[in-house]
Amino acid sequence: LIDKIYNKMSTSVVININVPDLPEDEIKGIKFTTLGNRYYDDSFYRMEDGTYELSGEPSRTENHPDDSDVAALHNNYIAITPLQFDFTDYRTLNKVKEWKF
């Protein structure tokens, strides 16, 4: 699969692949998905060596769009999501450019 998509996209794109933690014969297939919003009930725990570990569980898996990675994983599919790193909200950027300082 990677060979089929390598060098066929912009270098600013990262392919995020999530695989359900299931035996291979229980995985239903592959879905190309959008990025879902996943929230966790988590906490930091102090370890014996003085470092901290973040640990937790997903807080909910329902009410996600059918085309999201969260829904695909919940339904036992591998989720493949192309991501980019430009988080700029361009609409808001244009508004704040008008602010007077």
Side-chain angles (χ1 to χ4, degrees), residues 3-65:
D3 292 340
K4 290 181 181 180
I5 59 176
Y6 190 74
N7 285 332
K8 291 189 167 66
M9 288 176 272
S10 166
T11 57
S12 65
V13 174
V14 174
I15 298 297
N16 180 52
I17 302 173
N18 290 290
V19 179
D21 187 16
L22 297 170
E24 188 175 343
D25 62 336
E26 291 181 33
I27 295 174
K28 294 180 179 177
I30 297 172
K31 289 196 174 192
F32 295 93
T33 59
T34 61
L35 182 64
N37 292 321
R38 187 95 184 246
Y39 300 97
Y40 290 82
D41 293 326
D42 49 34
S43 298
F44 283 98
Y45 298 93
R46 186 176 171 94
M47 307 304 289
E48 289 182 16
D49 65 0
T51 61
Y52 288 85
E53 179 180 288
L54 178 63
S55 182
E57 296 293 325
S59 61
R60 63 177 195 251
T61 56
E62 67 281 347
N63 299 324
H64 291 279

